[in-house]
């Protein structure tokens, strides 16, 4: 077979040279609109903004001092206007600031040092509105005072992840759970044939099965809601070495604790150079578990659609298949499955990798943590797809009823259980109930008349016989409706 001579093919224009830049990944390309809220929290720019936030608040803390006096002797106190100016550097950090910081980093070849120099520039350029007496140009050496880069980074990541969880992921996850719960309540009384091991089994209701999934997901949401976000500020090896040498008279652990808790984080008193990241591992494991339960929902709903239990409401103008015009494909659930798998793979890697650091420090966590955004992004995208997919479903009541009516053998469980109870109560002739129902039903399709005839010949007490004679597969759903009402 002849092979293509690539050297003879025309040179293609480089897509890498197109302006604005083309996204390499789908989250920043095809799916940007769905995951855009995470950019404010988990992007590189968001990381630098939080670094600025931490540096500014550390500078304010050092100049404010404590009840026992200044943290660093001789440090001036900042006026309210000066503090507001510094905090405004954080709140207004956007396009121009991002570009300037990137330019500085090209010189420093160090991201945290670039943040330090960026802030020092703002101190030196304190506006005239602050007056000639402003102390800001003279406090530059308090920026990043006694800090290692990880003092800034660990606090920044904790603030970033907390914001992403509390402001973006949790609202989306909670809305999804409530949507599923509402569907469960709506369909709590709609009977449906179960399929344990894929085979016809004891009936349930559509609502009860959805309630199980809503309940499982809600437990994981509660775990995520209760997550701790830890932080530390204690120097290059967690000993406050530089702090004590520079200013031996200050109670540095107390200052550190107050500062970290002032950021709304939980203080970690014992670390190496890095905060140990255990809290991140715990959080990502919980979110991955939520993802996996949601994946279970997606595969179950996909299966119910394939069985015809759910009908999909066509979207006007949409194409299901490029060649088969009749099809309405369950693409939202398939898309969700794929994105949940990608998210879990990233979250599992984050969770496993971040708990280990060689001796007092290595840099595996640095590049690893830069993938927190994609991990959350694929989960958020999946949540959005499931929500949209569920909105386009309708229960196929007629098919559910036909399916139940075609499987009267599932009442074998009910009849043999009633026979056992009657035997315990002293009724004669109830021997071998399981075996007798097995002989009647296993591998056979029976009718309602077959089942009623069998029950009539058992010699059960009249009230029990009447109860069983009135039962149908559609009415044999136990306490399903009550369970949804009471426990969801």
């Amino acid at each position: 077979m002849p092979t293509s001579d690539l050297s003879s093919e025309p040179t293609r224009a480089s897509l890498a040279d197109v302006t604005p830049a083309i996204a390499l990944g789908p989250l920043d390309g095809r799916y940007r609109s769905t995951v855009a809220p995470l950019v404010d929290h988990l992007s590189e720019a968001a990381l630098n903004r939080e670094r600025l936030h931490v540096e500014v608040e550390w500078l304010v803390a050092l100049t404010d001092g404590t009840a026992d006096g200044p943290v660093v002797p001789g440090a001036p106190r900042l006026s309210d206007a000066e503090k507001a100016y510094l905090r405004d550097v954080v709140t207004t950090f956007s396009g121009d600031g991002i570009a300037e910081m990137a330019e500085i980093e090209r010189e420093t070849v160090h991201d945290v040092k670039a943040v330090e120099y960026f802030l020092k520039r703002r101190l030196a350029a304190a506006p005239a509105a602050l007056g000639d007496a402003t102390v800001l140009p003279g406090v530059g050496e308090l920026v990043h005072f006694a800090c290692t880069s990880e003092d800034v980074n660990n606090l920044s990541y904790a603030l970033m992840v907390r914001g992403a969880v509390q402001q973006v992921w949790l609202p989306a996850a909670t809305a999804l759970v409530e949507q599923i719960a509402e569907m469960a309540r709506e369909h709590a009384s709609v009977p449906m044939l179960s399929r344990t091991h894929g085979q016809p089994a004891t009936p349930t209701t559509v609502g009860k099965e959805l309630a199980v999934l809503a309940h499982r997901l809600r437990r994981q949401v509660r775990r995520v809601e209760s997550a701790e976000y830890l932080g530390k500020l204690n120097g290059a090896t967690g000993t406050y070495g530089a702090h004590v040498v520079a200013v031996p008279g200050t109670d540095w652990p107390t200052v550190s604790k107050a500062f970290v808790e002032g950021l709304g984080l939980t203080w970690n008193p014992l670390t190496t150079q890095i905060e140990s990241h255990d809290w991140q591992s715990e959080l990502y494991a919980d979110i991955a578990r939520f993802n996996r339960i949601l994946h279970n929902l997606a595969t179950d709903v996909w299966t119910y659609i394939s069985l015809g239990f759910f009908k999909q409401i066509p979207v006007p103008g949409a194409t299901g298949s490029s060649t088969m015009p009749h099809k309405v494909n369950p693409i939202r659930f398939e898309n969700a499955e794929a994105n949940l798998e990608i998210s879990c793979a990233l979250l599992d890697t984050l969770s496993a990798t971040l708990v280990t650091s060689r001796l007092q420090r290595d840099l595996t966590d640095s590049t690893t943590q830069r993938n927190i955004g994609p991990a959350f992004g694929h989960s958020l995208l999946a949540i959005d797809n499931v929500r949209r997919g569920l909105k386009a479903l309708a229960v196929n009541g007629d098919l559910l009823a036909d399916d139940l009516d075609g499987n009267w053998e599932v009442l074998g469980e009910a009849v043999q259980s009633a026979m056992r109870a009657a035997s315990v109560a002293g009724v004669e002739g109830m021997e071998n109930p399981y075996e007798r129902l097995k002989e009647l039903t296993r591998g056979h399709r029976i009718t309602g008349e077959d089942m009623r005839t069998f029950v009539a010949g058992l010699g059960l007490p009249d009230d029990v016989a009447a109860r069983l004679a009135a039962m149908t597969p559609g009415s044999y759903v136990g306490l399903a409706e009550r369970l949804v009402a009471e426990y969801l």
Side-chain angles (χ1 to χ4, degrees):
M1 180 180 292
T3 58
S4 173
D5 182 3
L6 296 179
S7 63
S8 66
E9 294 185 0
T11 302
R12 297 180 177 183
S14 174
L15 299 179
D17 297 332
V18 173
T19 303
I22 296 174
L24 177 61
L27 294 182
D28 286 316
R30 184 180 186 88
Y31 304 126
R32 172 75 177 193
S33 61
T34 301
V35 302
L38 289 172
V39 174
D40 268 334
H41 303 281
L42 298 176
S43 63
E44 191 74 15
L47 171 58
N48 283 331
R49 182 165 63 183
E50 289 301 346
R51 286 166 167 163
L52 265 179
H53 176 202
V54 172
E55 294 279 16
V56 163
E57 294 305 323
W58 182 234
L59 176 57
V60 170
L62 292 174
T63 56
D64 270 358
T66 68
D68 298 325
V71 174
V72 178
R77 287 190 178 274
L78 302 184
S79 67
D80 289 343
E82 287 168 328
K83 293 176 187 177
Y85 167 73
L86 289 174
R87 287 167 175 151
D88 193 52
V89 171
V90 179
T91 58
T92 61
F93 183 72
S94 191
D96 292 343
I98 293 168
E100 181 183 347
M101 196 174 290
E103 179 185 354
I104 298 171
E105 188 179 343
R106 281 192 288 272
E107 292 181 26
T108 63
V109 197
H110 194 289
D111 46 8
V112 177
K113 206 66 179 174
V115 175
E116 177 187 343
Y117 289 171
F118 180 91
L119 182 55
K120 284 182 175 179
R121 285 185 181 183
R122 297 304 183 274
L123 293 174
L130 293 174
D132 295 337
T134 179
V135 301
L136 291 183
V139 297
E141 292 312 314
L142 285 178
V143 176
H144 205 67
F145 178 81
C147 288
T148 184
S149 296
E150 269 306 294
D151 286 323
V152 176
N153 279 338
N154 88 93
L155 297 171
S156 298
Y157 272 111
L159 293 169
M160 290 165 63
V161 173
R162 184 186 68 182
V165 169
Q166 295 182 351
Q167 297 177 38
V168 182
W169 190 88
L170 267 176
T174 301
L176 169 63
V177 173
E178 290 312 308
Q179 180 181 352
I180 299 166
E182 183 55 37
M183 289 180 66
R185 287 186 281 267
E186 180 183 354
H187 302 296
S189 62
V190 178
M192 176 179 77
L193 190 68
S194 290
R195 276 184 163 76
T196 60
H197 305 279
Q199 306 303 308
T202 300
T204 180
T205 71
V206 174
K208 183 263 173 182
E209 297 310 302
L210 290 171
V212 170
L213 290 158
H215 178 67
R216 294 174 66 194
L217 290 167
R218 188 175 284 158
R219 285 190 69 249
Q220 302 313 312
V221 166
R222 286 199 296 266
R223 289 176 65 93
V224 175
E225 287 173 337
S226 64
E228 280 190 300
Y229 302 85
L230 273 64
K232 71 98 182 181
L233 196 153
N234 52 16
T237 57
T239 65
Y240 302 95
H243 304 71
V244 173
V245 168
V247 187
T250 293
D251 183 351
W252 285 107
T254 297
V255 170
S256 172
K257 183 174 189 291
F259 178 68
V260 171
E261 291 179 348
L263 294 172
L265 306 174
T266 299
W267 183 59
N268 188 342
L270 289 169
T271 76
T272 60
Q273 183 176 116
I274 70 165
E275 197 288 319
S276 306
H277 306 324
D278 296 345
W279 69 265
Q280 290 194 58
S281 180
E282 294 157 3
L283 173 65
Y284 304 151
D286 287 340
I287 294 176
R289 196 176 306 107
F290 177 97
N291 283 351
R292 290 187 168 99
I293 296 169
L294 187 57
H295 189 283
N296 194 174
L297 180 147
T299 56
D300 274 5
V301 171
W302 187 98
T303 304
Y304 290 140
I305 291 169
S306 74
L307 292 169
F309 288 3
F310 285 127
K311 295 184 289 187
Q312 295 182 97
I313 304 168
V315 177
T319 298
S321 166
S322 62
T323 186
M324 293 175 279
H326 68 283
K327 295 186 74 179
V328 183
N329 294 330
I331 58 171
R332 293 299 168 202
F333 301 101
E334 294 168 343
N335 186 302
E337 284 182 49
N339 280 285
L340 290 166
E341 289 162 10
I342 294 169
S343 177
C344 284
L346 289 169
L347 290 167
D348 289 349
T349 299
L350 287 163
S351 187
T353 299
L354 290 176
V355 294
T356 299
S357 182
R358 293 174 183 85
L359 304 180
Q360 284 70 50
R361 176 73 171 119
D362 69 36
L363 273 174
T364 52
D365 66 335
S366 179
T367 190
T368 300
Q369 288 181 106
R370 283 186 161 88
N371 291 282
I372 297 171
F376 275 78
H378 285 287
S379 178
L380 190 66
L381 181 59
I383 289 170
D384 179 72
N385 271 285
V386 171
R387 292 203 69 194
R388 289 200 281 169
L390 291 175
K391 286 179 182 177
L393 294 182
V395 171
N396 189 345
D398 291 341
L399 187 143
L400 289 173
D402 289 345
D403 196 37
L404 288 160
D405 194 51
N407 288 276
W408 279 79
E409 60 271 16
V410 298
L411 296 186
E413 177 195 42
V415 174
Q416 63 102 2
S417 296
M419 291 173 67
R420 288 173 184 265
S423 176
V424 172
V427 177
E428 299 291 335
M430 297 294 114
E431 296 81 5
N432 304 315
Y434 177 86
E435 289 74 17
R436 291 159 72 181
L437 267 298
K438 176 181 174 182
E439 182 180 352
L440 173 69
T441 61
R442 192 173 191 187
H444 306 294
R445 282 295 173 90
I446 63 172
T447 66
E449 186 59 34
D450 293 332
M451 182 59 74
R452 286 188 287 271
T453 299
F454 178 83
V455 169
L458 289 174
L460 287 162
D462 291 345
D463 60 328
V464 177
R467 186 165 66 246
L468 293 177
M471 182 178 290
T472 68
S475 67
Y476 181 41
V477 294
L479 303 176
E481 189 171 0
R482 173 183 164 186
L483 293 174
V484 175
E486 291 187 13
Y487 300 109
L488 182 59

